[in-house]
Amino acid sequence: MKKILNTLSLILLVCCMTVAFTACTENEHKTITTAYAKLHNVDESEISFTCYAEFNGTHILILNAMYPDALSSEIVDGVVFNHSQIKTFDVYSNGEFYSLQEAFDSGLVTHNNLLTLRKIYNPQFND
């Protein structure tokens, strides 16, 4: 029974990771890359990110960069996201970038969206 539960847990984790890494279509990925490059005046080839979730056209992502190895947390509306490096989520919506807190404060992301994101990003910490 324990082996079956471990197998099911692994399948669930893989499914969650698949959802996490397919949250942006190819066109959305290109649009976000172009917008970020323009905002920071960098070449698009220098930008890499992972899109973790999409809620009503609002994309939650983390830039892939060389972050210092250190545990960090990001707390929005009481929902804790644990990061293995010093980094935070970026949110892209309607041509603009926001922090996760700013997106929540402006209504782009709801408390339920935060709980869903935590299930995707930190499945080991869910109740």
Side-chain angles (χ1 to χ4, degrees), residues 6 10 33 55 65 87 105 126:
N6 286 341
L10 181 60
T33 299
F55 305 108
K87 57 187 172 184
D105 291 344
N126 292 302

Side-chain angles (χ1 to χ4, degrees), residues 4-109:
I4 292 171
L5 290 175
N6 286 341
T7 301
L8 289 175
S9 295
L10 181 60
I11 291 169
L12 180 59
L13 178 61
V14 169
C15 288
C16 287
M17 290 181 76
T18 301
V19 170
F21 294 106
T22 59
C24 293
T25 67
E26 188 175 327
N27 285 340
E28 291 166 335
H29 195 279
K30 176 69 174 156
T31 298
I32 295 168
T33 299
T34 301
Y36 192 86
K38 184 177 179 181
L39 177 67
H40 294 285
N41 197 28
V42 296
D43 189 84
E44 289 183 22
S45 65
E46 298 176 27
I47 299 170
S48 172
F49 63 89
T50 302
C51 191
Y52 285 93
E54 183 270 327
F55 305 108
N56 300 316
T58 297
H59 295 84
I60 314 296
L61 54 108
I62 290 182
L63 290 173
N64 300 327
M66 296 301 294
Y67 294 101
D69 287 333
L71 297 178
S72 66
S73 294
E74 185 172 5
I75 304 170
V76 178
D77 197 36
V79 180
V80 179
F81 299 93
N82 294 298
H83 302 287
S84 61
Q85 296 175 319
I86 299 174
K87 57 187 172 184
T88 58
F89 289 105
D90 288 309
V91 178
Y92 179 80
S93 184
N94 298 317
E96 300 289 329
F97 287 94
Y98 304 85
S99 70
L100 190 56
Q101 183 67 56
E102 291 169 335
F104 176 78
D105 291 344
S106 65
L108 294 170
V109 176

